[in-house]
């Protein structure tokens, strides 16, 4: 018993030493807090702040600004945060076109960027950088899962996404795994709210299924109009199109829709069982996939900063890469390009106690990486 108590005491002292040795860290949080994508940014911000609150760290400062979904504004904010606010790490951008604009300047100025969502293919492959980590996925991943799922019952698919990097990655990912016929491949405008023309194309296409990637307000508008159109062709999509933040606005039109995600509210692991009620208690709503990704991004930054100085780029990168966190997703590790290797699930929109949410249907991929890691040489 004496030996056991000594061991426990030593472990507690070691844990205290780790916390005590943690160096102050300043995080620049740039995300979308206004306009049609605000729900995604709010969940991102709240996931980050919950992780910091739970850590008990008093030496972590967060500077938050709204990018208004404008690339040029995001670049200006990032430069200001680096040059005037002296932030150590930047994070929070939801949209891939914004990240493509911001990331080069961030890493060129010697700062780390940890992505909570945006994950363009270009930054996963030849343009990867040792200071750039992605805590979410690589853009193609969830769409690849739905391409694989569509092989089980759909012979002819109509596929549609917005015309920006994540939209192009999404349809590329879907087609990488789908073995059937693509009836039509349509790119819509970013921020589009009227889908009458696209719905008419779906009606005339002869497709037996529709795959759509339309995050935020775009997905809300499309699903409402699709329900009103009377077209009965089944919809499937990635988890972003049917995430918790948009389901209340879509309403019952989303019921039964199959989607994909690396996290689902009902995953059976200890970290998830703690995270979901904690988020709901803190914010009065269920978390979305954006909140989970942001929670994990913050956990990664906190973990790394407890082990290495952010001023020592090599040591801090190694500490980030170790991914020493308990993720609500379960299994999580970084690939050679610093993008996740993780499980991906098929989900279904259901109603629980009057609230629309997603439940797990099946695991579609185990320890899934991305197609671009082989091209990352840094």
């Amino acid at each position: 018993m004496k030996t056991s108590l000594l061991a426990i005491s030593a472990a507690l002292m070691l844990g205290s030493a780790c916390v005590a040795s943690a160096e102050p860290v300043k995080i620049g949080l740039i995300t979308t807090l206004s306009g049609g994508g605000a729900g995604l940014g709010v969940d991102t911000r709240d996931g980050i702040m919950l992780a910091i609150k739970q850590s008990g760290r008093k030496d972590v400062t967060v500077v938050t600004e709204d990018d208004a979904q404008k690339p040029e504004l995001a670049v200006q904010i990032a430069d200001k945060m680096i040059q005037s606010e002296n932030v150590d790490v930047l994070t929070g951008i939801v949209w891939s076109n914004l990240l493509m604009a911001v990331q080069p300047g961030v890493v060129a100025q010697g700062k780390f960027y940890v992505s909570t969502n945006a994950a363009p293919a270009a930054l996963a492959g030849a343009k990867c950088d040792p200071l750039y980590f992605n805590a979410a996925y690589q853009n193609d991943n969830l769409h690849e899962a739905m391409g694989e799922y569509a092989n089980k019952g759909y012979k002819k698919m109509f596929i549609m996404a917005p015309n920006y990097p994540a939209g192009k990655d999404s349809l590329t990912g879907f087609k990488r795994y789908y073995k059937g016929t693509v009836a039509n491949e349509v790119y819509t405008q970013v921020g589009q709210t009227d889908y009458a023309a696209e719905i008419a194309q779906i009606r005339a296409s002869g497709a037996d299924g529709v795959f759509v990637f339309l995050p935020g307000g775009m997905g809300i508008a499309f699903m409402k109009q699709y329900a009103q159109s009377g077209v009965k062709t089944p919809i499937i999509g990635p988890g972003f199109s049917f995430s918790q933040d948009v389901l209340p606005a879509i309403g019952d039109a989303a019921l039964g829709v199959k989607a994909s995600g690396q996290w689902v509210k009902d995953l059976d692991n200890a970290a998830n069982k703690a995270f979901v009620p904690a988020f709901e208690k803190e914010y009065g709503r269920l978390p979305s996939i954006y909140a989970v990704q942001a929670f994990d991004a913050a956990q990664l930054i906190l973990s790394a900063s407890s082990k290495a100085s952010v001023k020592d780029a090599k040591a801090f990168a190694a500490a980030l890469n170790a991914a020493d966190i308990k993720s609500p997703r379960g299994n999580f590790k970084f690939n050679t390009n610093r993008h996740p290797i993780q499980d991906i699930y098929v989900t279904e929109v259901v109603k629980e106690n009057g609230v629309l949410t997603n439940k797990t249907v099946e695991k579609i991929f185990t320890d899934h990486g991305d197609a671009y890691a082989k091209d990352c040489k840094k």
Side-chain angles (χ1 to χ4, degrees):
M1 177 62 75
K2 184 176 181 181
T3 302
S4 177
L5 287 173
L6 285 171
I8 292 170
S9 177
L12 289 172
M13 288 175 68
L14 179 60
S16 298
C18 287
V19 173
S21 67
E23 197 172 275
V25 62
K26 194 170 189 179
I27 300 171
L29 171 56
I30 306 170
T31 197
T32 304
L33 299 173
S34 60
L40 287 58
V42 168
D43 269 19
T44 296
R45 177 197 64 197
D46 291 352
I48 287 172
M49 299 313 295
L50 179 62
I52 293 171
K53 180 178 180 179
Q54 289 186 348
S55 75
R57 293 272 297 271
K58 304 299 183 185
D59 58 346
V60 179
T61 304
V62 181
V63 180
T64 304
E65 291 214 32
D66 176 15
D67 59 39
Q69 210 171 324
K70 297 177 180 178
E72 65 281 3
L73 178 58
V75 170
Q76 292 172 12
I77 293 170
D79 285 342
K80 183 181 73 172
M81 284 185 170
I82 294 169
Q83 296 163 18
S84 300
E85 301 282 356
N86 296 313
V87 300
D88 299 304
V89 184
L90 289 94
T91 190
I93 290 176
V94 172
W95 307 91
S96 289
N97 56 328
L98 273 68
L99 184 60
M100 286 296 294
V102 167
Q103 187 264 8
V106 171
V107 299
Q109 294 178 76
K111 299 297 182 179
F112 282 88
Y113 191 94
V114 180
S115 182
T116 58
N117 187 64
L123 300 183
K127 294 183 180 179
C128 70
D129 191 277
L131 299 180
Y132 170 68
F133 286 74
N134 194 295
Y137 43 71
Q138 190 279 317
N139 275 349
D140 301 24
N141 290 164
L142 302 195
H143 316 286
E144 290 169 340
M146 291 317 289
E148 180 68 16
Y149 174 76
N151 290 325
K152 297 185 175 187
Y154 297 102
K155 296 181 178 179
K156 189 176 182 181
M157 294 292 298
F158 185 105
I159 62 177
M160 183 168 72
N163 189 13
Y164 78 118
K168 294 175 181 177
D169 288 347
S170 75
L171 299 193
T172 296
F174 182 87
K175 291 185 294 180
R176 183 175 290 122
Y177 280 80
Y178 180 57
K179 296 179 175 63
T181 300
V182 174
N184 206 348
E185 181 174 341
V186 173
Y187 289 96
T188 64
Q189 294 180 5
V190 176
Q192 186 170 321
T193 56
D194 183 353
Y195 293 92
E198 288 79 9
I199 292 171
Q201 288 178 282
I202 293 170
R203 191 192 300 272
S205 69
D208 58 3
V210 180
F211 171 81
V212 294
F213 164 55
L214 292 169
M218 293 180 284
I220 295 168
F222 171 77
M223 286 301 296
K224 285 186 170 182
Q225 291 164 34
Y226 194 75
Q228 292 165 1
S229 74
V231 179
K232 301 300 183 184
T233 310
I235 300 282
I236 64 172
F240 326 109
S241 297
F242 305 97
S243 55
Q244 196 65 49
D245 57 296
V246 296
L247 286 178
I250 293 174
D252 288 353
L255 279 170
V257 169
K258 302 293 195 305
S260 55
Q262 77 279 46
W263 171 82
V264 196
K265 178 175 64 69
D266 60 2
L267 288 184
D268 187 13
N269 65 69
N272 194 45
K273 288 179 178 179
F275 169 74
V276 173
F279 188 95
E280 192 170 15
K281 180 180 179 182
E282 186 74 18
Y283 301 113
R285 66 184 190 279
L286 290 171
S288 71
I289 197 168
Y290 299 98
V292 174
Q293 294 167 170
F295 182 80
D296 280 350
Q299 285 201 94
L300 287 163
I301 295 168
L302 293 166
S303 172
S305 67
S306 72
K307 298 174 181 178
S309 169
V310 73
K311 311 300 183 189
D312 183 340
K314 187 175 181 179
F316 193 79
L320 277 174
N321 203 49
D324 185 16
I325 63 171
K326 298 295 185 184
S327 172
R329 289 175 250 190
N331 295 337
F332 177 96
K333 61 182 178 181
F334 280 118
N335 205 340
T336 54
N337 60 348
R338 297 165 292 276
H339 284 62
I341 293 175
Q342 58 194 332
D343 299 342
I344 302 179
Y345 305 85
V346 173
T347 65
E348 180 180 354
V349 179
V350 297
K351 189 173 281 188
E352 294 179 355
N353 301 317
V355 178
L356 289 167
T357 189
N358 287 282
K359 72 171 185 179
T360 305
V361 174
E362 62 179 297
K363 185 188 292 185
I364 202 79
F365 288 141
T366 299
D367 291 337
H368 189 64
D370 65 86
Y372 306 98
K374 66 184 187 303
D375 300 319
C376 175
K377 306 302 181 185
K378 297 180 183 178

